[in-house]
Amino acid sequence: MTGLDRNSVRRTALLAGAALITGLLPLASAGTAAADDPAPVPVDRFEGEVPFANQPAEGIFTWGGDSDDPPKLALTERSDAPEGAKVLTGDYDISGYGGFTHDFAADQPAHDWSAHKGIRFWWDGRNTAKKIAFEIKDGGTNGEASELWTTSFTDDFSGWKQVEIPFADFVYRTDYQPVGGIDHVLGLTQMWGYALTLPVGAPGQFALDDVELYGRADQSLRASVTTDSAVYPVKEGGTARVKISVATTGSAPIDEPVTVAYESTGGGAAPGRDYAPVKGEITFPAGTTSGTSRTVTVRTLRDKSAEAAETIPLKLTVTGAKAPAETPQVVIDAHGLPYLNPKLSVKKRVADLVSRMSLEEKTGQMTQAERGAIGTGGDIASYDLGSLLSGGGSTPTPNTAAAWASMIDGYQLRAQATRFQIPLIYGVDAVHGHNNLAGATVMPHNIGIGATRDPALAERTGAVTASEVRATGIPWDFAPCLCVTRDERWGRSYESFGEDPALVKSMETVVQGLQGARDGSDLKDDDRVLATAKHFVGDGGTGYGTSTTGSYTVDQGVTKVTRQELEAVHLSPFKTAVDRGVGSVMPSYSSLDIVGDGQGPVKMHARADMINGVLKGRMGFDGFVISDWNAIDQLPGDYASHVRTSVNAGVDMMMVPYSYKDFRATLTDEVKAGRVTERRIDDAVSRILTQKFELGLFEKPYADTSGASRIGSAAHRSVARQAAAESQVLLKNAGGVLPLRKSQKVYVAGSNADDLGNQTGGWTLTWQGSSGPITKGTTILQGMRNAGGDVTYSKDASAPTGGYDVGVVVVGETPYAEGVGDVGNGNDLELTAADKAAVDKVCAAMKCAVLVVSGRPQLIGDRLGDIDALVASWLPGTEGDGVADVLYGRRAFTGQLPVTWPKSESQLPINVGDASYDPQFPYGWGLTTLTKTPGGGTAALRELARVASAAERRGADGTARAAVTKARLLVQQKIGSSVTAANAGPFADADHLLLTGHYGEAVAKLAQAYRMA
């Protein structure tokens, strides 16, 4: 969900000259140059002068979303070449994103393009009607560390045609910047190359020739007139002050005079009645310093009537510079209307507001767009948008808390230009902390939280996340995932708390951590956010090989269950969430196939029986339902069918990141045609507005950054550190290798020992995550050093292994998210060859502990006999100190397996309660340290069963749980490394019984496992 596949830019290119007939050999420019224009300056002739190469050398190179996406390029001799003998040709078949770049040499000075009007090239049109994004690179240290400025042209012609793009048409990319902005100004004096993004979805070919700079730059390319805002809200009777400035590239004084004529005209406010009209002219003389400002005041008038907001556009006519992209608007705030009265109940405020809204305003509230799609935000008011989101990796530049708050405040300001000034609700996937924000506290992923078996800690992690998210101006989190993962081949396994619905339900305390009180009374606080229960329903049960999404194998597939299985496994966590007051619910991409209902597989976004019937009806959910990213596009039929089917099924707001205009228009048309009722629209809008009122957004739409100092603070990292420590599951500990002693000489190896990106996993800064030092935190290796350990590190175990007391090998997975991580989609559950070699070498040379950093179990049984201690570390987040805490005995190992650890991939799916159950380690398994294991055998188990049963009858849960824990430790000691099908089944069943409050039965099951050991 990141990068170039998300680019959606308006067509701003000028296609100069007439289309040429295919085969014609054009030797001159298609346009007529002005007499005083400078000669064109070649950038690429494609005669072989520029190699296919990467930085730091000058060269042309390809890129793409996966190994199949980069196009195949060649320099091809063509008799119809517009210039010279050769052209650049390419073949492509892109599913995600792909294209090519020409970077100038990083060890040479950048190029100065400022003397020219624009860039042009010859394109061999195929009349595909598809847009091709064209990008130039400005400023920074080299082509891969520069600002990206973009536009596009459309291939709607046949044969060679010269495409001319004035530099004035390029806009700063808001959806993706590789390193962050330099100054957000297209300076043109330090250019590093260009790139083309090719169309996706179908195989294609292209040919390009003679890229060159053309024309003479005029002052409007170097000088621009700006206003300090696009929207100026004022209370009725107040005065707006519009600051008008002139600015130049490089801050040089202007060469020629710049005049700005201004006039208040149009809009919803009446001149003379609502405001005093203004008209005049400002002149910035030649020689004026860049940044010089003048102020125009607009005085509004007071009357006695209650009114919606009224706009006063200030028309600006600019001579000698580039005019502002938008007409600034003064807005007289809405006032005196009941929905604005905070003393009224939310229900009354909602009813009043809905009664005043037009159909178009209502459908706008049901529409959610991606921030990268809306540019500077003018469409927020134009389309009455109700919501924006940041997809994974969609961040402001720079990626700081202050920049997030400023960006979202800017969007909220835009919403003030609507009639009723309904604030936006902005959402992010903060699935393990505020994971899109650099420097935020990143928690273990949910699989690790499930391993803690600590509901109070889960709530604290949610509270930290909420605090950091809200401090950046964001009131809504697309979390938690309440999926019950049933197959570890699923690429979203780590987003689940575990395979047992009872465990998932016990961890839903995180909802209170995010939202606070169940009645929603805390939502307006500066450290709470609206939570989202996802993905309704059955996403964790999709069958292997059932996905029809690209190369996915499990994710977004089909969950085939009986009605009883659906209720017991997948629906029950959502009932708990509704009871906890969760404010929003997100349906799953996946399909649900209920055995015997006669419907077959039906996409969840179309299942009215489940959304309207079960969720809103039987469960009584009174929040709103938000779709997943473009999920309605997966429904059968045409787009109108997608819209009406999903809305009629009960989806209240649609996440349509780049198609928000089409969605709003289509939904409006469907209502007018009677295929979606106005009553249904009013219900959806009422649900959305209720949460906006509960969040206090009408009174405080802008970011409250008073909590920003707590982002990534020691106190917050302390919670993450505890969560990391408690998430560690000790699977084997022969000879008491763990905990380590500070006096021991420790040899550390493995790919994940010193890699922060790998230990934080997917959904960290970007959608898929990435390896390396991607944010602020502590790796496991650094944590061990911080703990005072005598540590030597050799990633590949190539350093000599003699003279050490113990080895620690940290292995596992690299980051992935969603179906990209599905087994069979380029992934498996095996360790890499390098990790296997490191384990083999270290464990052959000394006593060893192996830590598996991964989002799911890894197949390690063939090496288990040579490993003394084995730890499931999951994805512990940014606080590697927490892992070191248990390794060095500062804390005890207490984690338990939230999922079954299989012996082989052929066993999958394997889950607690299966009739055939023969795992490597059973669900609930987890050895401990620093705690004496109870003795006494069967007699002790009988006594513990008596204590647990008696406590259960009295409602003394704490006493009962303690008895079950003692019994579990006793049984684990007896089983040791001899886990069998006979003892694994009852052992796993005991943990499920514990979580469901059947404490006496849990001890009885453990006693059965003891007898079978």
Side-chain angles (χ1 to χ4, degrees), residues 231-309:
V231 180
Y232 298 83
V234 294
K235 294 187 182 301
E236 187 184 49
T239 298
R241 291 171 175 81
V242 180
K243 188 165 72 172
I244 299 173
S245 304
V246 63
T248 62
T249 298
S251 299
I254 57 176
D255 299 327
E256 305 165 13
V258 172
T259 60
V260 183
Y262 61 87
E263 180 181 8
S264 55
T265 180
R273 187 185 71 195
D274 296 316
Y275 70 96
V278 296
K279 183 176 182 180
E281 186 175 275
I282 295 169
T283 299
F284 297 95
T288 298
T289 304
S290 178
T292 300
S293 301
R294 302 286 186 269
T295 300
V296 174
T297 59
V298 180
R299 183 169 59 89
T300 68
L301 306 176
R302 191 183 299 275
D303 59 34
K304 296 182 179 180
S305 59
E307 295 173 302

Side-chain angles (χ1 to χ4, degrees), residues 446-447 449-450 480-483 495-499 503-504 507 510 898:
N446 283 353
I447 196 81
I449 300 297
C481 186
L482 303 184
C483 46
E495 292 189 55
S496 172
F497 292 114
E499 69 186 34
L503 174 57
V504 174
M507 293 294 112
V510 72

Side-chain angles (χ1 to χ4, degrees), residues 748-755 758 793-797 808-814 828-843 848-854 858-860 862-863 867:
V748 179
S751 61
N752 287 347
D754 194 32
D755 196 303
N758 287 358
Y793 174 57
S794 175
K795 180 177 179 178
D796 60 358
V808 174
V809 191
V810 189
V811 297
E813 296 184 304
T814 53
D828 56 38
L829 300 180
E830 298 279 350
L831 300 182
T832 66
D835 275 347
K836 288 178 180 179
V839 169
D840 292 346
K841 183 173 181 181
V842 174
C843 292
C848 71
V850 173
L851 277 59
V852 181
V853 173
S854 63
Q858 303 292 283
L859 302 175
I860 203 165
D862 57 343
R863 285 171 168 75
I867 295 170

Side-chain angles (χ1 to χ4, degrees), residues 612-889:
N612 285 330
V614 175
L615 178 65
K616 293 182 175 180
R618 192 182 81 198
M619 292 183 181
F621 174 62
D622 59 3
F624 70 93
V625 176
I626 172 69
S627 87
D628 210 332
W629 180 284
N630 278 336
I632 64 170
D633 291 348
Q634 297 187 7
L635 301 183
D638 60 15
Y639 192 68
S641 174
H642 299 169
V643 171
R644 67 174 173 268
T645 298
S646 54
V647 172
N648 286 333
V651 183
D652 301 305
M653 181 184 286
M654 221 62 67
M655 189 185 293
V656 279
Y658 293 93
S659 54
Y660 57 92
K661 297 176 187 177
D662 291 340
F663 169 76
R664 178 178 178 267
T666 303
L667 178 55
T668 301
D669 289 345
E670 289 297 295
V671 177
K672 290 178 179 178
R675 291 184 286 269
V676 176
T677 67
E678 291 197 41
R679 181 179 179 183
R680 170 69 193 106
I681 298 299
D682 286 353
D683 171 62
V685 175
S686 296
R687 289 170 176 270
I688 294 163
L689 293 177
T690 295
Q691 298 304 327
K692 291 186 177 184
F693 278 115
E694 294 281 7
L695 285 160
L697 294 175
F698 280 82
E699 286 69 52
K700 295 172 62 177
Y702 302 113
D704 181 343
T705 59
S706 58
S709 63
R710 297 193 294 269
I711 296 173
S713 65
H716 284 183
R717 290 183 183 275
S718 176
V719 175
R721 178 174 180 166
Q722 181 182 346
E726 291 191 25
S727 71
Q728 303 299 294
V729 181
L730 184 58
L731 300 173
K732 179 182 179 181
N733 195 24
V737 169
L738 296 177
L740 304 172
R741 298 185 303 278
K742 293 179 184 178
S743 60
Q744 291 177 307
K745 292 187 66 177
V746 182
Y747 186 102
V748 179
S751 61
N752 287 347
D754 194 32
D755 196 303
L756 195 61
N758 287 358
Q759 76 184 44
T760 53
W763 287 109
T764 309
L765 292 189
T766 60
W767 174 39
Q768 291 295 315
S770 58
S771 301
I774 60 174
T775 188
K776 182 180 178 182
T778 306
T779 66
I780 293 171
L781 173 66
Q782 187 59 50
M784 295 175 69
R785 288 172 172 159
N786 292 346
D790 182 358
V791 171
T792 297
Y793 174 57
S794 175
K795 180 177 179 178
D796 60 358
S798 59
T801 55
Y804 293 93
D805 300 307
V806 63
V808 174
V809 191
V810 189
V811 297
E813 296 184 304
T814 53
Y816 54 81
E818 301 188 32
V820 176
D822 284 351
V823 167
N825 187 21
N827 299 279
D828 56 38
L829 300 180
E830 298 279 350
L831 300 182
T832 66
D835 275 347
K836 288 178 180 179
V839 169
D840 292 346
K841 183 173 181 181
V842 174
C843 292
M846 64 194 82
K847 292 181 178 180
C848 71
V850 173
L851 277 59
V852 181
V853 173
S854 63
R856 53 198 169 189
Q858 303 292 283
L859 302 175
I860 203 165
D862 57 343
R863 285 171 168 75
L864 192 55
D866 299 321
I867 295 170
D868 298 292
L870 180 64
V871 179
S873 287
W874 309 114
L875 299 169
T878 51
E879 307 313 301
D881 286 323
V883 180
D885 285 341
V886 291
L887 289 178
Y888 276 96

Side-chain angles (χ1 to χ4, degrees), residues 541-592:
T542 49
Y544 187 86
T546 64
S547 181
T548 57
T549 300
S551 57
Y552 294 6
T553 57
V554 185
D555 192 39
Q556 305 182 23
V558 179
T559 299
K560 187 171 185 177
V561 287
T562 64
R563 178 80 56 182
Q564 181 181 10
E565 290 169 336
L566 175 65
E567 296 283 347
V569 176
H570 300 290
L571 272 173
S572 59
F574 287 92
K575 179 61 169 70
T576 300
V578 171
D579 292 344
R580 287 185 172 275
V582 72
S584 64
V585 170
M586 181 183 291
S588 176
Y589 280 117
S590 57
S591 300
L592 181 62

